[in-house]
Amino acid sequence: MHSYTALRYEKRAQTAWLTLNRPDAMNALSDALCDELADAIGRIEDDRDVRVVVLTGAGRAFCAGADLKGVFEGGTAAPGDEDPLNAFLDRIAGMIDRLRVLPKPTIAALNGLTMAGGLELAMACDLIVAAEGARIGDAHANFGVFPGAGGAAVLPRRIGPTAAKYLLFTGDTLPAAELVPLGLVNRVVPDAELATEVDKLATRIASKSPLVLRRMKQAVADGLDQPQATALRLERLVLDAHRHSHDIREGLAAFVGKRKPDFKGC
């Protein structure tokens, strides 16, 4: 386990668990938490033993967004003083961007309230599993703040423009179950079973080829906003490269030999 103050980093087999650890502040994103998350993401990217990442929160919230109160009270910014505030919001956006492009599968395990920057953080993950008691929303409009890490850009791509504008304009938070049909949340599980169910999912994913998972994630990202014909050409180019890999040969040999494959990620 790595030593952080606002974050807990634990490796469980081939899964890295990152727990936002500011429960008294509803895990709001502070300077320290952003820096520690960025550092942890860098460690994970370089750690070949980590194949899947889980992001969750301590206490009753996943993440309530940016700790703007902490910025102002800490003397680093005052209302109307844009430069320190912009620097803080840029730090959050940079960290979330790093999480979004991390070349390993990521799962957001939403244990409670998730809004504003917390929603943007969750949407940077590949999959979202939520506890039944979790409530999710954008909430930027409630405080006169414009989203800067995906609220206005990513949310419409996840749930469609009409549903996204409802969350953006009203600032409402909704039960996680209502966001499953819209495609934002993959699964909702009983509160007490969240960690267990997410661990099972992470373990299943970690058993796959790290190379094929990385290439699948990149191909989806590259092809999402392209015409289908272009996306298909990109997919075929990746396949042409992938067919020379150890993992495809090992996977096919294991299939023929009726044994568990030993993937190397190359």
Side-chain angles (χ1 to χ4, degrees), residues 107-191:
I107 305 170
L110 307 187
N111 53 297
L113 185 66
T114 302
M115 63 183 195
L119 174 58
E120 292 172 324
L121 185 64
M123 290 193 299
C125 294
D126 300 306
L127 305 176
I128 298 177
V129 179
E132 286 179 337
R135 294 188 65 88
I136 304 168
D138 180 73
H140 281 98
N142 295 345
F143 309 102
V145 178
F146 187 81
V154 177
L155 186 60
R157 287 172 164 78
R158 296 288 289 267
I159 65 175
T162 302
K165 283 186 281 190
Y166 177 85
L167 288 178
L168 289 165
F169 294 171
T170 65
D172 288 352
T173 59
L174 302 178
E178 292 189 18
L179 294 167
V180 173
L182 296 177
L184 181 67
V185 176
N186 294 95
R187 289 178 58 197
V188 173
V189 299
D191 292 20

Side-chain angles (χ1 to χ4, degrees), residues 201-214:
L201 176 61
T203 300
R204 286 175 55 203
I205 295 172
S207 70
K208 316 303 182 186
S209 158
L211 179 64
V212 80
L213 292 174
R214 181 170 72 247

Side-chain angles (χ1 to χ4, degrees), residues 28-234:
L29 296 169
S30 63
D31 282 331
L33 181 52
C34 285
D35 289 347
E36 290 177 3
L37 277 166
D39 183 79
I41 292 166
R43 290 176 182 266
I44 288 167
E45 188 166 7
D46 294 335
D47 191 340
R48 292 179 60 87
D49 292 334
V50 173
R51 296 189 176 185
V52 181
V53 181
V54 173
L55 190 64
T56 192
R60 61 192 179 94
F62 171 72
C63 177
D67 189 4
L68 298 179
K69 181 179 178 181
V71 172
F72 295 133
E73 290 184 349
T76 57
D81 183 3
E82 294 183 355
D83 289 343
L85 179 58
N86 282 345
F88 175 59
L89 296 177
D90 286 346
R91 179 177 295 187
I92 293 174
M95 177 273 293
I96 289 177
D97 285 342
R98 289 192 65 185
L99 176 63
R100 183 178 292 112
V101 300
L102 181 69
K104 299 182 182 186
T106 53
I107 305 170
L110 307 187
N111 53 297
L113 185 66
T114 302
M115 63 183 195
L119 174 58
E120 292 172 324
L121 185 64
M123 290 193 299
C125 294
D126 300 306
L127 305 176
I128 298 177
V129 179
E132 286 179 337
R135 294 188 65 88
I136 304 168
D138 180 73
H140 281 98
N142 295 345
F143 309 102
V145 178
F146 187 81
V154 177
L155 186 60
R157 287 172 164 78
R158 296 288 289 267
I159 65 175
T162 302
K165 283 186 281 190
Y166 177 85
L167 288 178
L168 289 165
F169 294 171
T170 65
D172 288 352
T173 59
L174 302 178
E178 292 189 18
L179 294 167
V180 173
L182 296 177
L184 181 67
V185 176
N186 294 95
R187 289 178 58 197
V188 173
V189 299
D191 292 20
E193 298 176 16
L194 178 64
T196 299
E197 291 301 314
V198 170
D199 189 57
K200 289 179 183 176
L201 176 61
T203 300
R204 286 175 55 203
I205 295 172
S207 70
K208 316 303 182 186
S209 158
L211 179 64
V212 80
L213 292 174
R214 181 170 72 247
R215 285 176 164 168
M216 285 178 172
K217 180 170 180 173
Q218 188 64 57
V220 171
D222 290 345
L224 192 59
D225 292 326
Q226 300 293 329
Q228 180 172 290
T230 302
L232 286 168
R233 285 195 295 271
L234 291 171

